[in-house]
Amino acid sequence: MALIEIRNLWKEYGQQVVLEQLNKTVGEGEFITIVGASGCGKTTFLKMLLGTESVSRGQLLLDGKPLPGEPGPERGIVFQRYSVFPHLSVLGNVMLSLELEKSPLLGRLFGGARKTAEKLAKEMIDAVGLGQAMHKYPHELSGGMQQRLALAQSLIKRPRILLLDEPFGALDPGIRADMHQLVLSLWQEHKLTVFMITHDIKEGFYLGTRLWVFDKCRFDPQAPNAYGAQITYDLPVGQTDGHLLKKSPPRAAEKVPPPLPDKYRRNLWNQVFTNIPCPARVIGLCVCGVGFV
């Protein structure tokens, strides 16, 4: 049985349709990378998986049951802007969720319970490569180190699903490469199902086992908010690391979308260059095989 099922999913804000007619299944252990133009609903979709946004129409299922309408321990998230507590050390940041779980009123543990929580937190901090900075505070860490800390915060509760919203967008290329390797190793070690938004096409193809392209198939200039984005392409991709690629879980082949009619391809060409979208959208459409005439 699929871990995540998306059945005719719609998201609307009043008269504005953000997402429409999403239908996908995701198996446990898959790594889904998501690309698309800014404002097409990628982050909204991630928030729906997290539970901070509700479904307008359709169903979003986890293990065959409706996804809980609020965040839970089975789902962890890392935002582009690091969500760390400035007044707590690295160790304190990672321990906090364990303390709040066991002691929701005080937010503090004592005695044997605290020692157990510290041990778990230290193991996770070592796993993300911050063992030498365990007692430092966020303002003493570099951007890459803060991102590692955010990963440790998300993984300390052993979630089944990890949500990443452009987590490496603000990092230098060298640090991004290190973070890629870290995420891949954590994905394999903890058997995570990952959904990651990125604007870097190369990153999307390298990290994921599937690449989803979000885009609007329908557009009415008289009612620009009448139609939302869909998952226009679902491409099987894989890491360049052969060892990791062999471990990636297999998935059933999906139907390839039929070729676009000539008239629609001409209109799409005009839309792309009239609206001047981000380069990622143009590259993504070309890579995905949309021909223009």
Side-chain angles (χ1 to χ4, degrees), residues 153-169:
Q153 283 181 310
S154 297
L155 296 175
I156 189 63
K157 299 292 289 293
R158 306 292 179 181
R160 300 172 63 193
I161 301 169
L162 180 62
L163 309 173
L164 305 173
D165 190 359
E166 297 185 55
F168 313 131

Side-chain angles (χ1 to χ4, degrees), residues 8 27-28 45 54-55 62 71-72 74 96 98 101 125 129 142 166 187 199 212 232 248 255 258 260 269 274 290:
N8 195 30
E28 191 162 9
F45 174 71
S54 61
V55 175
L62 173 64
E74 74 281 356
L96 184 61
L98 299 175
E101 179 185 27
I125 290 169
S142 66
E166 297 185 55
W187 167 51
H199 281 294
W212 289 358
T232 54
S248 299
K255 294 181 180 179
L260 296 173
W269 171 269
T274 300
V290 178

Side-chain angles (χ1 to χ4, degrees), residues 103-146:
S103 179
L105 294 179
L106 296 177
R108 297 281 292 178
L109 295 176
F110 304 94
R114 183 170 183 82
K115 289 181 180 179
T116 301
E118 281 187 2
K119 181 181 177 182
L120 292 174
K122 288 177 179 178
E123 288 175 355
M124 183 56 65
I125 290 169
D126 287 335
V128 300
L130 287 179
Q132 300 299 319
M134 194 173 302
H135 300 292
K136 290 187 177 181
Y137 287 83
H139 71 273
E140 301 175 293
L141 305 177
S142 66
M145 295 172 77
Q146 289 189 44

Side-chain angles (χ1 to χ4, degrees), residues 1-4 26-30 63 160 187 191-193 249-250:
M1 186 172 66
L3 176 67
I4 295 287
V26 179
E28 191 162 9
E30 292 198 84
D63 292 328
R160 300 172 63 193
W187 167 51
K191 297 179 173 57
L192 298 166
T193 301

